[in-house]
């Protein structure tokens, strides 16, 4: 038995916007009966280019119907550019939550919306790059043959929902859920994706502030403390030491070295080369570290 | 508690009130260990033997041919592992494509251990391909295991004929009869079946008790070792209350077995006939050879979980061959083996009756279900009215 939220049950029992729009400005259908769920969406735009009506028809389980209903409610009043930014997470948020095994229902909602936007653009002779399409690899390579899921879709859903295991991918996209022969391949894709992602994330200096002096004391403490926790303490702990933030005055950061570090002959070097260097790298070049005994 | 219309008796059944009463003393004052030397414990052993006699009587077996276990799955595993370890020169197991996971998953495990496991296919009505069976069962086959009745469709399988095929090649024959016992008459004294598994909770006994029949003269190696219980064939202190309950349930089943084919069948048939009048419906299974209590109907163009969820609003319990109900992504392996089209497999609903169901309940379902189907079809993009 599924533990559906009240909102899922409400959208399932009283689905909003069921039906078709005969003179719709955009129509799209995703999924198919073999897979066990399918969604057809109709959008109507007003003269300002906002979605004034959205209707759906869905074949599927309670969460598929609820996700479709939520999607139509969500996009009403949006421009197509706004709608293009809607993800499966927005649908899930509106429903409270979905069981993880049912996440693919929300993903189907987002796909239908993307396809409908593409349909609109096509009708108006515009190009539209659907979010699920990798610009360098338009079609993607089919990884799961049973459900026809491509590597581009796997990467996108994994990124958007922070998924790390093949099992999670199955729950969000169905890929690997039938014969299971592609599960190893899916894991490889994920491992590759997150490795790349980590490499991209490395130079995370965008949080650096130019005018440290102008921050409030609380802001300073939060910033400095977070860098101490993330970048400084682990190395000290590795050597059996620790560090404590005592005070901040202007751009002077007062810290106390503890454990092995407190009695270490190289404490001064540690302060300059590690603590101060890291704080200058990640917070502000103006920082000066002072040791409290 | 609100009134529940329970049409899911192939999943589990209500404990019969008589069964509960029979069990009660063994959960209260008669808590002794049947293996004890003192009278207080020892007296309990006699009740286990009475239960064994009652169950034997239902099956047309000798009491000494029955081993109490914890469930149908344990009985299945015990039977197959015993057969394999006793004829270790044979490396093959023959099962069917429509077996319960208790056998299917065991088959997968045996493959990992280096055995060959083959599955007899079925036709569109779920009937076994007997020619194929004949070919598959060979002199390398240690054991053939085919269910007596299918849990999803209710189909009955020709176990006697299959047992003869197995014996002709020197193989043992086991049947998972979890769905058949108590629903169809069984007389093992006249059948060439070597081993049979059954489960208490499918026939109004509690969950957590089952039995394995091993024909006299068929060798058996225990699956669980450690004690002398069950004459050394299944170690572990007996689940006395449940065994007594199973005995009582067997006694009731024997007494009421004719009801299955009259009252229960009539209720099933009424529901089925009326539901099949709805457009785009189909019966899954073999109407000629079927349990009298089971009906598996596909409502095309809609999905089973949605149907069950809406029925649940009326406290009507049934189950589905749909993928979504279990969180798996593929519809029932039984329906797929039968080649039921996906349009129908996703919307398959199983209704399974017991002697406790009433005509009012059937009428209630007939009142509530058609609007549910219509409502979901209204939402479905495939339904063209």
């Amino acid at each position: 038995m599924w533990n559906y939220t009240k909102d899922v049950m409400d959208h399932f029992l009283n689905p909003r916007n069921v039906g078709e729009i005969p003179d719709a400005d955009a129509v799209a259908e995703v999924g198919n009966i073999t897979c066990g769920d399918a969604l057809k969406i109709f959008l109507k735009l007003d003269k300002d280019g906002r979605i004034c009506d959205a209707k759906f028809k869905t074949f599927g389980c309670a969460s598929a119907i609820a996700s479709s209903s939520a999607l139509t409610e969500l996009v009403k009043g949006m421009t197509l550019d706004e709608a293009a930014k809607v993800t499966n997470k927005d649908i899930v948020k509106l429903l409270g939550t979905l069981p993880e095994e049912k996440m693919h229902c929300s993903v189907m909602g987002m796909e239908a919306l993307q396809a409908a936007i593409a349909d609109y653009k096509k009708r108006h002779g515009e190009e539209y790059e659907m979010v699920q399409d990798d610009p360098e690899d338009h079609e993607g390579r089919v990884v799961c043959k049973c459900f026809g899921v491509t590597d581009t879709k796997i990467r996108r859903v994994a990124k958007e929902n922070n998924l790390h295991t093949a099992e999670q991918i199955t729950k969000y996209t169905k890929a690997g859920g039938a014969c299971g022969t592609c599960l190893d391949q899916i894991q490889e894709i994920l491992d590759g994706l997150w490795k790349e992602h980590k490499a991209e994330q490395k130079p995370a200096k965008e949080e650096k502030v130019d005018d440290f002096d102008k921050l409030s004391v609380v802001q300073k403490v939060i910033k400095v403390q977070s860098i101490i926790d993330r970048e400084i303490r682990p190395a000290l702990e590795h050597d059996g030491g620790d560090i404590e933030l005592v005070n901040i005055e202007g751009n002077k950061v007062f810290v106390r070295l503890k454990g092995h570090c407190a009695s270490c002959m190289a404490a001064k070097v540690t302060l300059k080369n590690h603590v101060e260097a890291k704080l200058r790298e990640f917070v502000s070049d103006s920082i000066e570290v002072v040791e409290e005994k | 508690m609100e009134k529940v219309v329970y049409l899911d008796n192939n999943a589990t059944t209500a404990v019969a009130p008589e069964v509960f009463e029979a069990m009660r003393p063994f959960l209260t004052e008669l808590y002794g260990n049947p293996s004890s030397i003192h009278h207080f414990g020892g007296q309990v052993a006699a009740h286990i033997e009475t239960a064994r006699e009652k169950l034997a009587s239902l099956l047309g077996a000798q009491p000494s041919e029955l081993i109490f276990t914890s469930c149908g799955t344990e009985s299945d595993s015990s039977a197959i592992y015993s057969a394999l370890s006793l004829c270790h020169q044979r490396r093959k197991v023959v099962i069917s494509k429509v077996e319960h996971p208790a056998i299917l998953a065991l088959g997968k495990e045996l493959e990992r251990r280096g055995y060959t496991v083959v599955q007899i296919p079925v036709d569109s009505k779920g009937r076994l391909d007997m020619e194929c069976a004949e070919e598959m069962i060979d002199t390398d086959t240690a054991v053939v295991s085919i269910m007596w009745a299918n849990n999803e469709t209710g189909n009955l399988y020709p176990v006697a004929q299959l047992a003869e095929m197995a014996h002709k090649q020197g193989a043992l024959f086991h049947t998972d009869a979890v769905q058949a016992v108590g629903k169809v008459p069984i007389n093992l004294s006249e059948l060439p079946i070597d081993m049979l598994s059954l489960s208490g909770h499918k026939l109004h006994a509690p969950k957590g008790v089952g039995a394995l029949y091993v024909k006299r003269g068929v060798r058996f190696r225990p699956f669980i070792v450690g004690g002398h219980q069950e004459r050394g064939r299944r170690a572990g202190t007996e689940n006395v209350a449940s065994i007594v309950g199973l005995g009582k349930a067997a006694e009731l089943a024997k007494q009421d077995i004719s009801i299955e084919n009259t009252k229960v069948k009539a209720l099933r048939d009424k529901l089925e006939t009326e539901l099949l009048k709805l457009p785009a419906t189909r019966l899954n299974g073999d109407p000629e050879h079927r349990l009298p209590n089971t009906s598996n109907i596909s409502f095309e163009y809609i999905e089973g979980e949605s149907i069950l969820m809406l029925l649940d609003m009326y406290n009507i319990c049934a189950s589905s061959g749909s993928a979504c109900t279990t969180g798996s992504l593929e519809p029932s392996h039984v329906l797929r083996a039968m080649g039921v089209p996906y349009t129908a497999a996703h919307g398959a609903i199983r209704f399974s009756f017991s002697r406790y169901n009433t005509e009012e309940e059937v009428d209630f379902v007939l009142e509530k279900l058609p609007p549910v189907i219509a409502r979901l079809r209204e939402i479905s993009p495939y339904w063209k009215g």
Side-chain angles (χ1 to χ4, degrees), chain A residues 2 4 9 12-13 15 32-36 38 56-62 65 102 104 147 170 174 177-178, chain B residues 301-303 305-306 309-310 312-313 324-327 329-330 342-343 346 375-383:
Chain A
W2 297 113
Y4 286 134
M9 286 310 286
F12 167 58
L13 294 173
N32 63 63
I33 207 156
T34 314
C35 293
F56 79 93
K57 285 213 158 178
T58 289
F59 164 84
C61 57
I65 292 171
K102 299 287 191 181
H104 60 87
F147 291 108
T170 303
K174 295 194 174 188
Chain B
Y301 309 112
I302 52 178
E303 202 279 329
E305 187 206 281
S306 317
M309 300 276 298
L310 288 176
D312 195 43
M313 295 285 126
C324 283
T325 40
T326 54
L329 296 165
E330 284 269 278
Y342 278 95
T343 47
H346 287 294
R375 174 172 165 184
L376 288 171
R377 281 183 173 163
E378 197 119 300
I379 305 179
S380 170
Y382 299 120
W383 179 246

Side-chain angles (χ1 to χ4, degrees), chain A residues 197-208:
Chain A
H197 191 68
K198 223 176 158 187
E200 284 169 20
Q201 289 283 301
K202 254 288 152 72
K205 288 177 191 167
E206 65 271 24
E207 48 193 310
K208 213 166 150 172

